Amino acid sequence: MNVPRAGAVAEPVDYFEMTFTADAGKPYRLWMRAKAHRNNWRNDSVFVQFSGAVNALGEPVFRIGTDDRTWYSLEECISCGVSGWGWQDNGFGAGVLGPEIYFAVSGPQTIRIQRREDGISIDQVVLSAGEWLATSPGATKKDATILPVRPN
């Protein structure tokens, strides 16, 4: 059974959070390695929020405690399909990168990943200001790339 595809909520019931350290003013790209239950596109998406994210103009975006969010879908585009584990960012469309994410202040930040649909599994989350700013850490389908854990 799928969860309704409503928007993100300020106080979700189902979510997980992680902390990381960010540098203010640097563009970051969000990548996740995920798989959809039964390789079904109806099981492949989440909402993502941050404690201190801003856009390139310094305006708050995707903030925890609001209904603003960025959307992550494992399927790269309509009818692209999913197959096993794959890497994707928060853009949608073949070759389309998601928006760069900035932070207003340097230091500890929190990322919240909120359920949008049942059936998605996530095993790696990468927020990159360098190596993977413009390039995926791995393939979109049938991926076996496991990145080493890097300290904040």
Side-chain angles (χ1 to χ4, degrees):
M1 178 171 118
N2 283 348
V3 171
R5 295 178 182 211
V9 295
E11 298 298 329
V13 175
D14 295 318
Y15 67 93
F16 67 93
E17 293 181 342
M18 297 178 288
T19 58
F20 61 95
T21 302
D23 292 327
K26 281 187 178 179
Y28 286 83
R29 179 89 55 214
L30 172 67
W31 297 97
M32 288 192 272
R33 185 174 179 267
K35 70 176 179 176
H37 181 65
R38 296 186 179 165
N39 288 321
N40 188 317
W41 61 270
R42 292 181 179 147
N43 297 316
D44 77 336
S45 65
V46 294
F47 295 124
V48 182
Q49 297 173 311
F50 299 90
S51 56
V54 296
N55 62 20
L57 301 175
E59 301 163 333
V61 293
F62 315 139
R63 291 290 180 99
I64 292 172
T66 72
D67 62 359
D68 190 20
R69 81 291 187 252
T70 187
W71 170 64
Y72 167 90
S73 173
L74 176 58
E75 187 175 32
E76 189 170 19
C77 65
I78 294 172
S79 299
C80 283
V82 293
S83 182
W85 289 100
W87 285 95
Q88 191 58 261
D89 72 335
N90 57 326
F92 189 74
V96 175
L97 292 173
E100 292 175 338
I101 299 165
Y102 295 81
F103 295 91
V105 297
S106 293
Q109 302 288 333
T110 301
I111 181 173
R112 174 181 284 175
I113 299 176
Q114 188 178 139
R115 182 172 67 167
R116 181 173 183 258
E117 299 173 310
D118 279 344
I120 188 169
S121 296
I122 298 168
D123 74 345
Q124 293 196 295
V125 178
V126 172
L127 199 60
S128 179
E131 188 172 355
W132 297 293
L133 185 61
T135 305
S136 174
T140 58
K141 297 178 183 177
K142 299 180 181 176
D143 180 78
T145 306
I146 303 295
L147 300 176
V149 175
R150 294 186 181 171
N152 280 329

